[in-house]
Amino acid sequence: ETKVSKLPKLAFADYADEQAENLRQMFIAMTDDYRIIIVKLADRLHNMRTLRHMKPEKQKKISRETLDIFAPLAHRMGLWPFKSELEDIAFMYLYPGEYKQLNHRLTERQLQFSDTLNNSIKVLENTLNNDSTLQSQDVKIEVGGRTKELYSLWHKMEMKHDENLDHITDLVALRVILTPGGIDEKTKEAAADSGVWLCYHVLGLVQHLPGFQPMPTKVKDYISFPKPNGYQSLHTALMYQGQSVEVQIRTSYMHQVAEYGMASHFAYKDEMKRNNNQQNGGKSGQGLYNTPWLSSIKEWQQDTVCSRDFVDCVRRELLGRRVFVFLRNGKILNLARGATAVDAAFQIHTEVGLQMHGVEINGKPVPISYKLKNGDVVSILTGEGRPTTEWMRFAKSRSTRSKLRAYFRSKQHDSVRRSGEIIFFDYLERHENMIRESSYLDYDFEVPRNAKELSPFLPGRSHFNDVDELLFAIGKSHNHNFLRTKLSKIFLVPLKALEASDVSPLVNITRKAYAAQVAENNHISVPDEIVDESVQISDAVLPDGEAVEYADAECACRSCLPIRGDAIVGTRGDNVADAPTIVHRLECPYAQQALNAARSASAHGDDVIGHPVKLVWSEASWEEFDSETFLAEITVMANDRKLLLADCSVVASKNSEILKTGSSSSAEHCTLEFLVRVSDLQELQELMDKLREVHSVMSVERRFGSELLE
């Protein structure tokens, strides 16, 4: 069973999807063996010739597919007779009115075209046969003529928005085919390069034909710059009795390639390749019939895309119109029409594209979004450039977009890994002493500070043998339970000990850091000694016989924003009647100043103006006053991405009441700020844990005080 016979066996409910998948399988198969597509083209040509027996709906559907896929494919492979007949038959069924009208116009002028062709052929043959150079080279000369195909003519007029037949320069064309002497079956390989100089010699003769006026701007050199399908020829245009005549000059080898394209090219080399394969142990000729210009299809099939998108991509980028540009070294880039400077850079080399920071076209700087034109000289400037996501909008080639996506995935992986590294080693630093004391490792160790020092701890204690994989998993999960589990296994620390160490509400930042932050915001001095939670406010500091008071949530200090559950202390001014007791977190610089001042005054017997007060949270309020709430501000550090603020806001709104938000961003990272209202410390901690689970979030911290409060 051949590859061709397998193609139509897939069954889908929808006809369009079935056809798209069939075409997809055909394109993939033909990348290894071009003969498959030749058989399919021959089959399609037979179907088109018998299309008159089908229903009109079927005729149009098959004709549209032929014009969109099979005719361009025949053109791309250089099978000119296939292309012309497929296009003309499809044109007849798709646009019957235009077909009849144009055919009628050509029929009316057929006599004029015939006279022009006959006279032109006679003059050209006479000139070439009498040329001494061609006679000395024993060159066989064939001169023929043709009129332009109907669909090709109609399409050209539609593109130019000009229906005047006199303005079409190649409506009538002569073809000169040169066969140098001494070429036989044994020397066909050498025929590919022989006779090229004779084509340029004949071009000079054609430009001076008696009775003809040359059109110098219409010379096209497809010998030096072949078309993507291998077509080579010299084209020029002449004016004869008011009728433009195109002249095509080529060798017999070039003519074979022009008529039969890839099939002709491989036919010359087929026997030689087979002999080489037999000499290599009789192995089957893998790659013998592959098509290099279709190699990108093998890359595309790795992407998970639907069949329709795949076929549309092949149509647009491989079978569509092309644009040819030059590099500074003279190399020619063959790109799909509409390609930009970004596509050109990545076609040269992936590293050139990734390092591009600018581009010059014809010596002048242009934006990288510049759409390339035929003949442009492209110079890619490389250095410290790095792609941005905006480049995806400028990239027209699927191959370019695929390379950009791979780059961004790699950068995202590095960013997630870096996030995991920060989370992991920050946790180790905060719990260093506890980990050493609680570990069951049978040797003394230092808690690692970086990935290199961590590596020896992994083998045998975790399914992660690579540090980078571990850090990436931690950065991706943003789950403290996952982090604690891995640490427990790596350092043999009881999981309960790690969980207990995270109970403290001060897990995210030290007291001294809190005090330093508030001191900086409020321009006050930071005490050298900060009273610890476990240190009781002694009777020497407080007035004799003063009882412990209950904290009033409405009198919370705005500089530290205490929450039920925090260790607190109060301050009250002595010189103000009925002054309220301000509730502070124990680390608040104002509370520390009051405590230190009271201690100093007690030691020297001085009066204290504004003294500290013992405070506790009311147990009754804890259980009964559900309406009592507290303000808190949290900051979220994350890798910047789309919808990050929206995702975090959804989580925050579900777990608290958002009063105000703020944000700032750098090149890669983003900081989000939320001023929220919560009932107690436990609710705040749950909110922070939920935010840590949001994708791309690196850390969540409770701010000491607030920057969003006015």
Side-chain angles (χ1 to χ4, degrees), residues 472-510:
F472 177 79
I474 292 172
K476 186 177 181 180
S477 68
H478 288 282
N479 188 310
H480 272 218
N481 291 330
F482 179 81
L483 173 62
R484 286 190 290 264
T485 301
K486 297 307 170 188
L487 283 169
S488 175
K489 292 180 179 179
I490 293 171
F491 298 103
L492 299 184
V493 177
L495 188 59
K496 290 185 178 180
L498 292 172
E499 292 173 348
S501 68
D502 281 345
V503 171
S504 171
L506 303 175
V507 67
N508 290 311
I509 190 166
T510 65

mmCIF file of all heavy atoms in Angstrom, residues 472-510:
data_model
loop_
_atom_site.group_PDB
_atom_site.id
_atom_site.type_symbol
_atom_site.label_atom_id
_atom_site.label_comp_id
_atom_site.label_asym_id
_atom_site.label_seq_id
_atom_site.Cartn_x
_atom_site.Cartn_y
_atom_site.Cartn_z
ATOM 1 N N PHE A 472 12.910 25.127 39.663
ATOM 2 C CA PHE A 472 11.840 25.431 38.713
ATOM 3 C C PHE A 472 10.496 24.942 39.249
ATOM 4 O O PHE A 472 9.482 25.637 39.142
ATOM 5 C CB PHE A 472 12.132 24.777 37.368
ATOM 6 C CG PHE A 472 11.043 24.972 36.347
ATOM 7 C CD1 PHE A 472 10.919 26.161 35.652
ATOM 8 C CD2 PHE A 472 10.119 23.966 36.098
ATOM 9 C CE1 PHE A 472 9.907 26.354 34.727
ATOM 10 C CE2 PHE A 472 9.109 24.140 35.175
ATOM 11 C CZ PHE A 472 9.005 25.346 34.483
ATOM 12 N N ALA A 473 10.482 23.734 39.838
ATOM 13 C CA ALA A 473 9.233 23.195 40.386
ATOM 14 C C ALA A 473 8.717 24.061 41.528
ATOM 15 O O ALA A 473 7.514 24.308 41.646
ATOM 16 C CB ALA A 473 9.462 21.758 40.863
ATOM 17 N N ILE A 474 9.623 24.552 42.370
ATOM 18 C CA ILE A 474 9.218 25.415 43.481
ATOM 19 C C ILE A 474 8.687 26.743 42.950
ATOM 20 O O ILE A 474 7.656 27.250 43.404
ATOM 21 C CB ILE A 474 10.405 25.644 44.433
ATOM 22 C CG1 ILE A 474 10.760 24.334 45.151
ATOM 23 C CG2 ILE A 474 10.084 26.733 45.453
ATOM 24 C CD1 ILE A 474 12.031 24.395 45.953
ATOM 25 N N GLY A 475 9.401 27.316 41.963
ATOM 26 C CA GLY A 475 8.943 28.580 41.391
ATOM 27 C C GLY A 475 7.617 28.456 40.680
ATOM 28 O O GLY A 475 6.803 29.376 40.694
ATOM 29 N N LYS A 476 7.365 27.294 40.083
ATOM 30 C CA LYS A 476 6.110 27.092 39.354
ATOM 31 C C LYS A 476 4.939 26.837 40.285
ATOM 32 O O LYS A 476 3.816 27.286 40.035
ATOM 33 C CB LYS A 476 6.279 25.916 38.385
ATOM 34 C CG LYS A 476 5.098 25.700 37.463
ATOM 35 C CD LYS A 476 5.370 24.570 36.475
ATOM 36 C CE LYS A 476 4.195 24.367 35.533
ATOM 37 N NZ LYS A 476 4.450 23.265 34.577
ATOM 38 N N SER A 477 5.204 26.135 41.394
ATOM 39 C CA SER A 477 4.098 25.757 42.276
ATOM 40 C C SER A 477 3.641 26.898 43.169
ATOM 41 O O SER A 477 2.450 27.065 43.426
ATOM 42 C CB SER A 477 4.515 24.581 43.154
ATOM 43 O OG SER A 477 5.512 24.980 44.085
ATOM 44 N N HIS A 478 4.599 27.715 43.670
ATOM 45 C CA HIS A 478 4.271 28.794 44.616
ATOM 46 C C HIS A 478 3.443 28.257 45.786
ATOM 47 O O HIS A 478 2.527 28.910 46.257
ATOM 48 C CB HIS A 478 3.504 29.924 43.914
ATOM 49 C CG HIS A 478 4.359 30.733 43.003
ATOM 50 N ND1 HIS A 478 5.220 31.704 43.442
ATOM 51 C CD2 HIS A 478 4.513 30.691 41.660
ATOM 52 C CE1 HIS A 478 5.852 32.244 42.413
ATOM 53 N NE2 HIS A 478 5.449 31.634 41.320
ATOM 54 N N ASN A 479 3.778 27.056 46.211
ATOM 55 C CA ASN A 479 3.024 26.408 47.274
ATOM 56 C C ASN A 479 3.954 26.144 48.451
ATOM 57 O O ASN A 479 4.942 25.414 48.332
ATOM 58 C CB ASN A 479 2.435 25.083 46.745
ATOM 59 C CG ASN A 479 1.476 24.452 47.727
ATOM 60 O OD1 ASN A 479 1.795 24.296 48.901
ATOM 61 N ND2 ASN A 479 0.303 24.080 47.232
ATOM 62 N N HIS A 480 3.645 26.737 49.621
ATOM 63 C CA HIS A 480 4.510 26.581 50.784
ATOM 64 C C HIS A 480 4.504 25.154 51.311
ATOM 65 O O HIS A 480 5.508 24.691 51.856
ATOM 66 C CB HIS A 480 4.088 27.562 51.880
ATOM 67 C CG HIS A 480 4.755 28.888 51.734
ATOM 68 N ND1 HIS A 480 5.183 29.633 52.798
ATOM 69 C CD2 HIS A 480 5.088 29.599 50.627
ATOM 70 C CE1 HIS A 480 5.739 30.752 52.361
ATOM 71 N NE2 HIS A 480 5.679 30.751 51.056
ATOM 72 N N ASN A 481 3.397 24.446 51.158
ATOM 73 C CA ASN A 481 3.371 23.047 51.576
ATOM 74 C C ASN A 481 4.348 22.217 50.746
ATOM 75 O O ASN A 481 5.046 21.343 51.259
ATOM 76 C CB ASN A 481 1.960 22.475 51.448
ATOM 77 C CG ASN A 481 1.001 23.073 52.462
ATOM 78 O OD1 ASN A 481 1.407 23.455 53.561
ATOM 79 N ND2 ASN A 481 -0.267 23.164 52.104
ATOM 80 N N PHE A 482 4.371 22.495 49.430
ATOM 81 C CA PHE A 482 5.306 21.813 48.535
ATOM 82 C C PHE A 482 6.745 22.132 48.940
ATOM 83 O O PHE A 482 7.606 21.242 49.004
ATOM 84 C CB PHE A 482 5.046 22.243 47.092
ATOM 85 C CG PHE A 482 5.969 21.633 46.081
ATOM 86 C CD1 PHE A 482 5.745 20.358 45.599
ATOM 87 C CD2 PHE A 482 7.070 22.336 45.610
ATOM 88 C CE1 PHE A 482 6.591 19.785 44.662
ATOM 89 C CE2 PHE A 482 7.927 21.779 44.680
ATOM 90 C CZ PHE A 482 7.685 20.496 44.206
ATOM 91 N N LEU A 483 7.024 23.399 49.229
ATOM 92 C CA LEU A 483 8.365 23.814 49.633
ATOM 93 C C LEU A 483 8.782 23.125 50.931
ATOM 94 O O LEU A 483 9.896 22.587 51.042
ATOM 95 C CB LEU A 483 8.404 25.337 49.797
ATOM 96 C CG LEU A 483 9.683 25.940 50.381
ATOM 97 C CD1 LEU A 483 10.873 25.642 49.477
ATOM 98 C CD2 LEU A 483 9.520 27.446 50.565
ATOM 99 N N ARG A 484 7.890 23.125 51.920
ATOM 100 C CA ARG A 484 8.229 22.500 53.199
ATOM 101 C C ARG A 484 8.454 20.988 53.048
ATOM 102 O O ARG A 484 9.338 20.409 53.688
ATOM 103 C CB ARG A 484 7.123 22.777 54.226
ATOM 104 C CG ARG A 484 7.109 24.205 54.746
ATOM 105 C CD ARG A 484 6.167 24.341 55.922
ATOM 106 N NE ARG A 484 4.780 24.227 55.521
ATOM 107 C CZ ARG A 484 3.977 25.265 55.268
ATOM 108 N NH1 ARG A 484 4.455 26.505 55.393
ATOM 109 N NH2 ARG A 484 2.725 25.082 54.910
ATOM 110 N N THR A 485 7.659 20.345 52.196
ATOM 111 C CA THR A 485 7.814 18.907 51.975
ATOM 112 C C THR A 485 9.188 18.591 51.396
ATOM 113 O O THR A 485 9.863 17.647 51.833
ATOM 114 C CB THR A 485 6.713 18.392 51.025
ATOM 115 O OG1 THR A 485 5.434 18.658 51.602
ATOM 116 C CG2 THR A 485 6.861 16.904 50.778
ATOM 117 N N LYS A 486 9.621 19.383 50.417
ATOM 118 C CA LYS A 486 10.929 19.149 49.800
ATOM 119 C C LYS A 486 12.055 19.412 50.792
ATOM 120 O O LYS A 486 13.028 18.658 50.868
ATOM 121 C CB LYS A 486 11.095 20.028 48.554
ATOM 122 C CG LYS A 486 10.098 19.723 47.446
ATOM 123 C CD LYS A 486 10.118 18.245 47.098
ATOM 124 C CE LYS A 486 8.982 17.864 46.170
ATOM 125 N NZ LYS A 486 8.879 16.406 45.977
ATOM 126 N N LEU A 487 11.934 20.477 51.565
ATOM 127 C CA LEU A 487 12.958 20.775 52.565
ATOM 128 C C LEU A 487 13.035 19.677 53.620
ATOM 129 O O LEU A 487 14.121 19.308 54.073
ATOM 130 C CB LEU A 487 12.656 22.120 53.234
ATOM 131 C CG LEU A 487 12.998 23.369 52.427
ATOM 132 C CD1 LEU A 487 12.413 24.603 53.084
ATOM 133 C CD2 LEU A 487 14.497 23.513 52.304
ATOM 134 N N SER A 488 11.881 19.160 54.000
ATOM 135 C CA SER A 488 11.842 18.094 55.001
ATOM 136 C C SER A 488 12.594 16.860 54.520
ATOM 137 O O SER A 488 13.336 16.235 55.278
ATOM 138 C CB SER A 488 10.386 17.742 55.326
ATOM 139 O OG SER A 488 10.307 16.646 56.197
ATOM 140 N N LYS A 489 12.441 16.514 53.243
ATOM 141 C CA LYS A 489 13.105 15.333 52.697
ATOM 142 C C LYS A 489 14.595 15.581 52.482
ATOM 143 O O LYS A 489 15.423 14.690 52.714
ATOM 144 C CB LYS A 489 12.450 14.926 51.376
ATOM 145 C CG LYS A 489 11.032 14.409 51.527
ATOM 146 C CD LYS A 489 10.451 14.024 50.178
ATOM 147 C CE LYS A 489 9.035 13.467 50.322
ATOM 148 N NZ LYS A 489 8.455 13.109 49.010
ATOM 149 N N ILE A 490 14.940 16.765 52.025
ATOM 150 C CA ILE A 490 16.340 17.051 51.697
ATOM 151 C C ILE A 490 17.203 17.126 52.953
ATOM 152 O O ILE A 490 18.306 16.571 53.009
ATOM 153 C CB ILE A 490 16.446 18.357 50.892
ATOM 154 C CG1 ILE A 490 15.803 18.170 49.511
ATOM 155 C CG2 ILE A 490 17.902 18.794 50.739
ATOM 156 C CD1 ILE A 490 15.667 19.455 48.714
ATOM 157 N N PHE A 491 16.703 17.793 53.997
ATOM 158 C CA PHE A 491 17.505 18.010 55.202
ATOM 159 C C PHE A 491 17.060 17.130 56.377
ATOM 160 O O PHE A 491 17.561 17.295 57.494
ATOM 161 C CB PHE A 491 17.444 19.482 55.620
ATOM 162 C CG PHE A 491 18.015 20.416 54.592
ATOM 163 C CD1 PHE A 491 17.187 21.167 53.775
ATOM 164 C CD2 PHE A 491 19.388 20.523 54.431
ATOM 165 C CE1 PHE A 491 17.716 22.023 52.826
ATOM 166 C CE2 PHE A 491 19.921 21.378 53.475
ATOM 167 C CZ PHE A 491 19.087 22.131 52.666
ATOM 168 N N LEU A 492 16.122 16.205 56.112
ATOM 169 C CA LEU A 492 15.613 15.298 57.157
ATOM 170 C C LEU A 492 15.145 16.074 58.385
ATOM 171 O O LEU A 492 15.532 15.785 59.525
ATOM 172 C CB LEU A 492 16.684 14.282 57.543
ATOM 173 C CG LEU A 492 17.184 13.345 56.425
ATOM 174 C CD1 LEU A 492 18.179 12.330 56.977
ATOM 175 C CD2 LEU A 492 16.031 12.650 55.733
ATOM 176 N N VAL A 493 14.310 17.067 58.124
ATOM 177 C CA VAL A 493 13.726 17.887 59.188
ATOM 178 C C VAL A 493 12.261 17.496 59.322
ATOM 179 O O VAL A 493 11.557 17.387 58.304
ATOM 180 C CB VAL A 493 13.854 19.387 58.866
ATOM 181 C CG1 VAL A 493 13.170 20.224 59.939
ATOM 182 C CG2 VAL A 493 15.319 19.770 58.752
ATOM 183 N N PRO A 494 11.759 17.259 60.544
ATOM 184 C CA PRO A 494 10.334 16.922 60.704
ATOM 185 C C PRO A 494 9.443 17.987 60.066
ATOM 186 O O PRO A 494 9.663 19.192 60.264
ATOM 187 C CB PRO A 494 10.141 16.862 62.214
ATOM 188 C CG PRO A 494 11.501 16.562 62.751
ATOM 189 C CD PRO A 494 12.465 17.241 61.839
ATOM 190 N N LEU A 495 8.464 17.522 59.327
ATOM 191 C CA LEU A 495 7.580 18.452 58.633
ATOM 192 C C LEU A 495 6.832 19.349 59.619
ATOM 193 O O LEU A 495 6.613 20.532 59.347
ATOM 194 C CB LEU A 495 6.586 17.666 57.763
ATOM 195 C CG LEU A 495 5.702 18.485 56.829
ATOM 196 C CD1 LEU A 495 6.528 19.310 55.861
ATOM 197 C CD2 LEU A 495 4.752 17.567 56.053
ATOM 198 N N LYS A 496 6.475 18.812 60.772
ATOM 199 C CA LYS A 496 5.751 19.605 61.767
ATOM 200 C C LYS A 496 6.595 20.760 62.286
ATOM 201 O O LYS A 496 6.084 21.829 62.607
ATOM 202 C CB LYS A 496 5.296 18.714 62.917
ATOM 203 C CG LYS A 496 4.190 17.737 62.537
ATOM 204 C CD LYS A 496 3.701 16.967 63.749
ATOM 205 C CE LYS A 496 2.551 16.036 63.369
ATOM 206 N NZ LYS A 496 2.058 15.265 64.542
ATOM 207 N N ALA A 497 7.910 20.532 62.387
ATOM 208 C CA ALA A 497 8.798 21.603 62.844
ATOM 209 C C ALA A 497 8.819 22.751 61.841
ATOM 210 O O ALA A 497 8.817 23.930 62.216
ATOM 211 C CB ALA A 497 10.205 21.055 63.055
ATOM 212 N N LEU A 498 8.827 22.415 60.551
ATOM 213 C CA LEU A 498 8.797 23.457 59.522
ATOM 214 C C LEU A 498 7.463 24.190 59.529
ATOM 215 O O LEU A 498 7.414 25.415 59.358
ATOM 216 C CB LEU A 498 9.050 22.835 58.146
ATOM 217 C CG LEU A 498 10.461 22.279 57.901
ATOM 218 C CD1 LEU A 498 10.503 21.530 56.581
ATOM 219 C CD2 LEU A 498 11.479 23.404 57.891
ATOM 220 N N GLU A 499 6.363 23.445 59.691
ATOM 221 C CA GLU A 499 5.046 24.081 59.736
ATOM 222 C C GLU A 499 4.920 24.997 60.939
ATOM 223 O O GLU A 499 4.356 26.085 60.854
ATOM 224 C CB GLU A 499 3.965 23.007 59.758
ATOM 225 C CG GLU A 499 3.870 22.218 58.458
ATOM 226 C CD GLU A 499 2.906 21.052 58.576
ATOM 227 O OE1 GLU A 499 2.494 20.736 59.718
ATOM 228 O OE2 GLU A 499 2.554 20.459 57.533
ATOM 229 N N ALA A 500 5.470 24.571 62.081
ATOM 230 C CA ALA A 500 5.388 25.397 63.289
ATOM 231 C C ALA A 500 6.178 26.682 63.124
ATOM 232 O O ALA A 500 5.789 27.736 63.634
ATOM 233 C CB ALA A 500 5.909 24.611 64.488
ATOM 234 N N SER A 501 7.278 26.622 62.376
ATOM 235 C CA SER A 501 8.104 27.817 62.202
ATOM 236 C C SER A 501 7.419 28.868 61.341
ATOM 237 O O SER A 501 7.800 30.035 61.360
ATOM 238 C CB SER A 501 9.436 27.437 61.570
ATOM 239 O OG SER A 501 9.243 27.002 60.234
ATOM 240 N N ASP A 502 6.415 28.453 60.570
ATOM 241 C CA ASP A 502 5.706 29.395 59.707
ATOM 242 C C ASP A 502 4.475 29.985 60.362
ATOM 243 O O ASP A 502 3.770 30.785 59.747
ATOM 244 C CB ASP A 502 5.272 28.699 58.409
ATOM 245 C CG ASP A 502 6.423 28.568 57.438
ATOM 246 O OD1 ASP A 502 7.439 29.248 57.652
ATOM 247 O OD2 ASP A 502 6.308 27.784 56.482
ATOM 248 N N VAL A 503 4.179 29.598 61.606
ATOM 249 C CA VAL A 503 2.977 30.102 62.270
ATOM 250 C C VAL A 503 3.115 31.571 62.611
ATOM 251 O O VAL A 503 2.160 32.340 62.569
ATOM 252 C CB VAL A 503 2.685 29.285 63.542
ATOM 253 C CG1 VAL A 503 1.571 29.923 64.361
ATOM 254 C CG2 VAL A 503 2.330 27.862 63.173
ATOM 255 N N SER A 504 4.334 32.009 62.948
ATOM 256 C CA SER A 504 4.540 33.400 63.357
ATOM 257 C C SER A 504 4.100 34.359 62.272
ATOM 258 O O SER A 504 4.413 34.181 61.100
ATOM 259 C CB SER A 504 6.020 33.651 63.656
ATOM 260 O OG SER A 504 6.253 35.026 63.847
ATOM 261 N N PRO A 505 3.360 35.400 62.636
ATOM 262 C CA PRO A 505 2.931 36.383 61.642
ATOM 263 C C PRO A 505 4.083 37.203 61.112
ATOM 264 O O PRO A 505 3.922 37.960 60.173
ATOM 265 C CB PRO A 505 1.937 37.264 62.406
ATOM 266 C CG PRO A 505 2.361 37.156 63.834
ATOM 267 C CD PRO A 505 2.844 35.748 63.991
ATOM 268 N N LEU A 506 5.253 37.088 61.727
ATOM 269 C CA LEU A 506 6.401 37.871 61.280
ATOM 270 C C LEU A 506 7.296 37.058 60.360
ATOM 271 O O LEU A 506 8.465 37.363 60.193
ATOM 272 C CB LEU A 506 7.215 38.339 62.502
ATOM 273 C CG LEU A 506 6.442 39.156 63.529
ATOM 274 C CD1 LEU A 506 7.307 39.456 64.725
ATOM 275 C CD2 LEU A 506 5.919 40.430 62.914
ATOM 276 N N VAL A 507 6.750 35.992 59.721
ATOM 277 C CA VAL A 507 7.560 35.115 58.910
ATOM 278 C C VAL A 507 8.141 35.819 57.692
ATOM 279 O O VAL A 507 9.183 35.453 57.194
ATOM 280 C CB VAL A 507 6.740 33.887 58.467
ATOM 281 C CG1 VAL A 507 5.643 34.290 57.527
ATOM 282 C CG2 VAL A 507 7.647 32.829 57.865
ATOM 283 N N ASN A 508 7.489 36.826 57.187
ATOM 284 C CA ASN A 508 7.916 37.445 55.939
ATOM 285 C C ASN A 508 8.982 38.503 56.102
ATOM 286 O O ASN A 508 9.629 38.886 55.139
ATOM 287 C CB ASN A 508 6.713 38.054 55.209
ATOM 288 C CG ASN A 508 5.805 36.993 54.669
ATOM 289 O OD1 ASN A 508 6.259 36.067 54.030
ATOM 290 N ND2 ASN A 508 4.517 37.090 54.960
ATOM 291 N N ILE A 509 9.130 39.066 57.307
ATOM 292 C CA ILE A 509 10.083 40.161 57.457
ATOM 293 C C ILE A 509 10.445 40.297 58.926
ATOM 294 O O ILE A 509 9.611 40.076 59.801
ATOM 295 C CB ILE A 509 9.478 41.486 56.915
ATOM 296 C CG1 ILE A 509 10.541 42.568 56.841
ATOM 297 C CG2 ILE A 509 8.301 41.942 57.739
ATOM 298 C CD1 ILE A 509 10.092 43.768 56.008
ATOM 299 N N THR A 510 11.660 40.610 59.259
ATOM 300 C CA THR A 510 12.097 40.702 60.645
ATOM 301 C C THR A 510 11.591 41.970 61.288
ATOM 302 O O THR A 510 11.224 42.942 60.626
ATOM 303 C CB THR A 510 13.629 40.692 60.715
ATOM 304 O OG1 THR A 510 14.110 41.873 60.093
ATOM 305 C CG2 THR A 510 14.223 39.473 60.021
#
